[in-house]
Amino acid sequence: MAKKRTKSKSKKTTTTAKKKVSFKPSKQNKIIFGSLLIVLSIALFFSFMSFYFTWQEDQSMLSQFADRNVEASNLLNKFGANVSHFFMYRGFGLASFVFPFLLAVTGLYLFLGLDGKRLIFKWIWGLVGVIWGSIALGFFAADYPLLGGLIGYEMNDFLQDYTGKIGVFLILIFVLMVILVRLFNFTPEGFANFFKRQKQKIKSDFKEEPTVHTKDAPVQEDDEDGLILTTEDTVHEKVDTYTHKKDIPPLDEAGLDVNIPEEEESDIDLKVEETPVEEEETDIKAAKLVEDFGEFDPKLELGNYKFPTMELLEAHGASGGITINQEELEENKNRIVSTLKNYKIGIAQIKATIGPTVTLYEIVPEAGIRISKIKNLEDDIALSLAALGIRIIAPIPGKGTVGIEVPNKNATIVSMRSVIASNKFQKAEMELPIAFGKTISNETFVVDLAKMPHLLMAGATGQGKSVGLNAVITSLLYKKHPAEVKFIFVDPKKVELTLYNKIERHFLAKLPDSDEAIITDNTKVINTLNSLCIEMDNRYELLKTAMVRNIKEYNAKFKARKLNPNDGHKFLPYIVLVIDEFADLIMTAGKEVETPIARLAQLARAIGIHLIIATQRPSVNVITGIIKANFPARIAFRVTSKIDSRTILDAQGADQLIGRGDMLYTQGNDVTRLQCAFVDTPEVSKITDYIGSQRAYPEAHLLPEYVGEESGTSLDNDIADRDAMFREAAEVIVTAQQGSASLIQRKLKLGYNRAGRIIDQLEAAGIVGPFEGSKARQVLVPDMYALDQLLENEAK
């Protein structure tokens, strides 16, 4: 009996085992498990993405997973930080992104109830791709182990020990070939056929006729006979030019036939029908050019340009941040409390925020205490603390507290390096980012010059204006390519900005006839400012023809190849005008300087011209009402009186600053106290040497030519010395009834200098009037008949 029972038990065991093996999940379980895998794949994807931005901050908490008080910066907190560290750092690096993809595919298969036979195939090749990608990244980016992960780095190191670098490279090529053949059916014939198809597609694209066919068959044949040949020849010629010069091929200028219904033959119907066809054709051709050649890249000419490295800047000792002196904090707190108590002012709460130069004590007064009473005790609190530069903010904007700013006994220097290296500056999505320094709460303060849109800096001698200017310029040099921004430096002192001469052909702009890019002569300052006004008018004309509102939209449209360079369109870099000592200019030139600056300040924002003006004498005759109205962004370093503070900021406070880069910043609302970042002259020299040693443009960016009134344009009326295109230029001016060099430049495709000489000759001939600043000249000849008569009389 015992034997029989044993046999029966064994039979039961085998049957249950078979049932377990043949177990198939129900549809509901598949949906649940599939959903779980999809959610897990999304979580992994965002963890991996966040890892490359937060891994440094999360390193310290990896071992503190169980501590609930510790938080990670990863988007999925501690889970994301630990999982991404395991896969990205200790695992396969960037190749780990294949795992979320595989999990998502598996989840979809289960969720939708699809046949999962091919899943094993996908996982096998996915893992092959992960390993290959990790080793490839470890090979090609050995200096960046985060890209290939620890496995990629170690496997690459292991293989190199046995096969060397060439061997590893050959193995990677072979495995890549296997992947391409097995997964993508790669063959040499298919590769050759692909390029043949692309070549034929490009040819057929350029052969297409851009006309709207009419019902009239004979006219259509005439158009085909004439138009296609001309268009094809022109386009091929332009494509050849583009491939050699790396410039934009102009849009096709073939004629436009419009299909008009028989019952609508008026002029109005013709215009309404024609406009959308032109726009549609322009967009289609622009899209084709972008598809074939890519978007226009203004950085292409200096494609190998390298931005300045962080090693060029000094740390200036403050590598560990701010040192907290607990005794000083407690002592100051007690003195503030006792001083206020002497005047029967009770305090409900007090807390301190420590900055690099100043500590902010925030006070919550007891109910019923008048704030004005605290504000009037500024001098008494300063006496009790024996401190220079006590500033009371009553109340702090946005908070129900009163602030008392007390200078630290041992100020911390804010180095430019720490500010430039901060995440806030590195990740700033701004057109012209400027890192000024750090706030009282020790946060990096970054603003966009393009949104200011102009900046006024003032302060007494030796309080940090020149360092502030260098901080602004350094910020832009670290963030912008030479093709994107140009500087105009005005330095009446002749010594402050001379270091930037080394980057003349990279970043500076100047007048065509100037020997030096940095302007020190007041006469040249006036000419430069008027030239900038001409540049402003020319840019507004380009924006008008491009039908956009600002420089950002214009450049985006130009990059998308929707604007024709043959019509005078070009990529517009931002222009930043820096004037170091404005008071000296006002004293010597007066209205001649103030008028163009007021024009630029009022109008130049939309077309990318921004002004930075510094002065050490902020009196009302220097910083006039017109200038103040157009400079909402202002910086005040330490000044000697409350009147000067009111002149700059329209508020008190700048007279209470402690100097050495301590400053107040306002953009028309709140006043923010900052410690300006310190960048020394040797650091600026290193940066300019680094940039100046690289390949540059043939010359500095040239501004439009400006001829002052004293130059006189009616000196030469010799017909024999006239330009060969004098007659054509005269016809353009008379037809348009607008006398400007930029018009001749666009219509006749001439350089600005030649167009300017022709304008002088037209004035000498009596066709246009004298120069009137930034306005277009008056055209003295009413029509073409009068022009013919004038030129015939001259010939006699």
Side-chain angles (χ1 to χ4, degrees):
M1 288 290 291
K3 286 182 181 179
K4 286 182 179 178
R5 283 178 184 174
T6 311
K7 285 181 180 179
S8 62
K9 282 183 182 179
S10 62
K11 283 181 181 178
K12 285 181 182 179
T13 309
T14 53
T15 53
T16 53
K18 283 180 182 177
K19 283 183 182 178
K20 286 182 181 178
V21 171
S22 62
F23 172 75
K24 288 185 179 179
S26 64
K27 187 176 181 181
Q28 289 86 350
N29 289 334
K30 282 184 178 180
I31 292 172
I32 292 168
F33 190 60
S35 302
L36 175 64
L37 291 179
I38 291 169
V39 169
L40 183 60
S41 70
I42 295 169
L44 286 178
F45 177 80
F46 282 105
S47 299
F48 293 173
M49 286 288 291
S50 181
F51 174 78
Y52 281 100
F53 298 97
T54 62
W55 70 272
Q56 288 177 313
E57 300 167 34
D58 292 343
Q59 283 291 306
S60 59
M61 55 66 56
L62 291 173
S63 59
Q64 304 176 47
F65 187 82
D67 189 349
R68 294 182 63 184
N69 295 321
V70 177
E71 287 193 359
S73 299
N74 193 286
L75 288 175
L76 273 82
N77 211 325
K78 287 186 284 188
F79 167 80
N82 281 274
V83 169
S84 56
H85 178 78
F86 176 79
F87 277 96
M88 307 299 280
Y89 178 73
R90 294 189 174 278
F92 302 95
L94 278 175
S96 300
F97 276 97
V98 174
F99 289 115
F101 171 75
L102 291 173
L103 287 174
V105 170
T106 307
L108 283 171
Y109 267 72
L110 292 171
F111 188 85
L112 300 173
L114 302 174
D115 185 12
K117 289 180 181 178
R118 294 186 59 83
L119 271 178
I120 298 173
F121 177 83
K122 291 183 186 298
W123 272 92
I124 290 170
W125 284 107
L127 292 173
V128 170
V130 167
I131 295 168
W132 182 87
S134 180
I135 297 173
L137 287 167
F139 179 78
F140 292 106
D143 294 336
Y144 303 94
L146 281 179
L147 296 179
L150 200 60
I151 290 175
Y153 181 84
E154 291 295 339
M155 289 181 73
N156 177 64
D157 199 44
F158 172 78
L159 289 171
Q160 284 192 28
D161 288 342
Y162 289 91
T163 63
K165 283 192 175 181
I166 294 175
V168 176
F169 180 78
L170 293 174
I171 291 169
L172 289 171
I173 292 294
F174 172 72
V175 176
L176 178 63
M177 189 62 66
V178 171
I179 293 170
L180 290 173
V181 171
R182 298 291 296 180
L183 290 182
F184 304 101
N185 297 320
F186 171 84
T187 59
E189 295 84 8
F191 192 73
N193 290 335
F194 172 79
F195 277 97
K196 282 182 182 177
R197 285 196 300 272
Q198 292 300 317
K199 188 176 179 182
Q200 287 171 358
K201 184 182 175 185
I202 291 170
K203 285 185 178 180
S204 63
D205 286 346
F206 282 113
K207 284 181 180 178
E208 283 178 8
E209 181 183 350
T211 57
V212 178
H213 298 298
T214 61
K215 294 179 182 178
D216 194 355
V219 174
Q220 185 180 348
E221 290 173 4
D222 291 341
D223 284 349
E224 286 180 6
D225 292 339
L227 259 179
I228 290 178
L229 286 173
T230 312
T231 306
E232 184 181 351
D233 293 344
T234 310
V235 171
H236 280 299
E237 181 182 338
K238 289 171 184 173
V239 171
D240 290 340
T241 307
Y242 173 81
T243 53
H244 289 298
K245 294 185 179 179
K246 296 290 181 189
D247 201 350
I248 297 179
L251 297 177
D252 192 3
E253 297 176 0
L256 178 69
D257 296 336
V258 183
N259 184 14
I260 308 170
E262 293 178 1
E263 64 271 18
E264 297 176 8
E265 297 181 351
S266 67
D267 292 338
I268 296 172
D269 293 331
L270 177 64
K271 290 176 184 174
V272 171
E273 189 76 21
E274 183 176 356
T275 306
V277 175
E278 285 181 346
E279 290 177 0
E280 187 181 346
E281 287 190 353
T282 302
D283 290 342
I284 290 169
K285 289 171 187 173
K288 285 181 180 177
L289 291 172
V290 170
E291 184 184 343
D292 296 336
F293 304 106
E295 284 198 345
F296 173 77
D297 184 8
K299 304 175 187 177
L300 197 61
E301 192 172 346
L302 295 186
N304 295 324
Y305 174 79
K306 293 181 181 177
F307 286 86
T309 60
M310 216 61 69
E311 287 69 29
L312 300 173
L313 294 169
E314 300 293 333
H316 292 296
S319 58
I322 296 171
T323 305
I324 299 173
N325 189 333
Q326 201 65 40
E327 291 180 9
E328 183 184 342
L329 282 175
E330 197 66 29
E331 188 181 338
N332 285 343
K333 185 198 81 171
N334 293 334
R335 286 182 177 179
I336 290 170
V337 172
S338 62
T339 304
L340 293 175
K341 195 176 285 185
N342 291 338
Y343 292 93
K344 298 179 181 178
I345 297 172
I347 296 172
Q349 186 184 347
I350 183 169
K351 70 171 184 176
T353 305
I354 305 162
T357 311
V358 174
T359 299
L360 173 66
Y361 294 88
E362 285 186 63
I363 296 168
V364 179
E366 289 181 350
I369 301 295
R370 298 181 69 178
I371 290 176
S372 58
K373 195 175 180 183
I374 300 174
K375 201 162 188 179
N376 292 334
L377 296 174
E378 194 170 73
D379 294 334
D380 299 282
I381 295 170
L383 179 65
S384 70
L385 295 172
L388 172 70
I390 296 292
R391 181 169 167 263
I392 294 182
I393 312 163
I396 296 176
K399 296 183 180 181
T401 58
V402 175
I404 301 176
E405 293 176 351
V406 181
N408 299 334
K409 288 181 181 177
N410 298 313
T412 304
I413 297 175
V414 175
S415 66
M416 196 69 202
R417 178 169 180 159
S418 65
V419 172
I420 294 289
S422 66
N423 280 336
K424 195 166 185 181
F425 180 76
Q426 291 295 330
K427 296 177 183 177
E429 296 293 330
M430 300 176 180
E431 295 299 311
L432 297 172
I434 294 173
F436 280 122
K438 293 194 175 181
T439 62
I440 287 178
S441 56
N442 203 35
E443 292 179 3
T444 303
F445 190 80
V446 183
V447 289
D448 190 358
L449 178 61
K451 290 182 180 177
M452 286 187 187
H454 311 292
L455 177 64
L456 178 65
M457 300 173 71
T461 305
Q463 302 305 316
K465 283 192 317 303
S466 296
V467 174
L469 280 178
N470 284 330
V472 170
I473 298 163
T474 302
S475 299
L476 295 174
L477 292 180
Y478 265 86
K479 201 74 173 171
K480 307 306 287 184
H481 189 275
E484 298 174 312
V485 65
K486 301 294 178 185
F487 294 97
I488 299 171
F489 291 131
V490 177
D491 184 14
K493 294 181 188 174
K494 306 182 181 180
V495 293
E496 292 292 346
L497 300 173
T498 49
L499 285 171
Y500 297 102
N501 263 323
K502 300 169 190 172
I503 59 171
E504 176 181 330
R505 292 189 296 130
H506 291 87
F507 279 102
L508 302 194
K510 65 177 185 179
L511 291 171
D513 57 345
S514 289
D515 296 327
E516 293 184 359
I518 295 174
I519 305 157
T520 55
D521 181 22
N522 285 349
T523 308
K524 287 187 178 179
V525 174
I526 297 165
N527 290 347
T528 303
L529 292 173
N530 283 295
S531 174
L532 262 182
C533 288
I534 296 169
E535 174 73 13
M536 178 180 72
D537 294 334
N538 292 344
R539 287 189 173 201
Y540 267 116
E541 189 67 30
L542 290 174
L543 261 63
K544 177 184 170 186
T545 55
M547 291 183 288
V548 293
R549 295 179 62 187
N550 55 52
I551 186 173
K552 191 175 180 180
E553 293 175 8
Y554 177 89
N555 283 338
K557 203 168 182 180
F558 187 82
K559 286 180 180 178
R561 302 190 183 274
K562 293 181 180 179
L563 301 174
N564 194 334
N566 281 351
D567 294 336
H569 292 294
K570 57 187 176 181
F571 181 83
L572 300 178
Y574 285 91
I575 296 177
V576 180
L577 171 66
V578 180
I579 301 177
D580 187 28
E581 186 42 71
F582 188 59
D584 185 66
L585 289 181
I586 292 292
M587 287 171 62
T588 54
K591 285 286 181 186
E592 288 183 287
V593 167
E594 188 182 344
T595 303
I597 279 184
R599 274 206 78 215
L600 290 167
Q602 288 167 351
L603 300 171
R605 171 185 183 174
I607 43 84
I609 298 176
H610 302 280
L611 281 59
I612 300 174
I613 293 176
T615 180
Q616 55 182 250
R617 205 185 74 192
S619 53
V620 289
N621 62 329
V622 174
I623 304 175
T624 60
I626 295 174
I627 290 174
K628 282 180 69 174
N630 293 292
F631 283 78
R634 299 173 204 163
I635 285 176
F637 291 92
R638 187 167 183 263
V639 293
T640 53
S641 68
K642 286 183 171 62
I643 296 170
D644 287 346
S645 179
R646 286 191 174 278
T647 305
I648 308 164
L649 301 172
D650 296 328
Q652 293 182 14
D655 55 312
Q656 298 293 332
L657 298 175
I658 60 173
R660 294 178 61 82
D662 191 18
M663 66 185 226
L664 296 175
Y665 170 82
T666 180
Q667 202 167 345
N669 38 31
D670 300 336
V671 177
T672 307
R673 190 166 185 173
L674 306 169
Q675 177 60 40
C676 183
F678 179 66
V679 53
D680 206 0
T681 305
E683 295 173 72
V684 176
S685 183
K686 285 180 190 175
I687 294 167
T688 54
D689 283 339
Y690 182 86
I691 295 172
S693 63
Q694 300 184 54
R695 180 173 169 268
Y697 294 107
E699 58 183 345
H701 182 79
L702 294 181
L703 297 170
E705 193 172 12
Y706 172 78
V707 181
E709 291 180 6
E710 72 280 354
S711 301
T713 55
S714 57
L715 299 174
D716 184 17
N717 196 18
D718 191 352
I719 298 174
D721 292 337
R722 282 179 182 169
D723 193 280
M725 300 194 76
F726 174 83
R727 172 100 190 189
E728 289 91 332
E731 291 173 357
V732 166
I733 293 294
V734 172
T735 303
Q737 286 294 298
Q738 181 184 349
S740 69
S742 59
L743 178 66
I744 296 174
Q745 188 183 7
R746 289 199 308 274
K747 294 293 184 183
L748 301 181
K749 301 178 180 62
L750 303 177
Y752 197 90
N753 292 343
R754 187 177 180 187
R757 286 194 298 271
I758 293 175
I759 280 286
D760 294 344
Q761 293 168 5
L762 291 170
E763 182 186 346
I767 297 171
V768 297
F771 183 78
E772 297 181 26
S774 59
K775 295 181 182 178
R777 295 169 184 253
Q778 183 182 358
V779 181
L780 304 176
V781 178
D783 51 38
M784 294 298 293
Y785 177 76
L787 176 65
D788 291 338
Q789 292 294 320
L790 177 66
L791 296 178
E792 283 177 16
N793 292 336
E794 278 189 343
K796 293 177 183 178

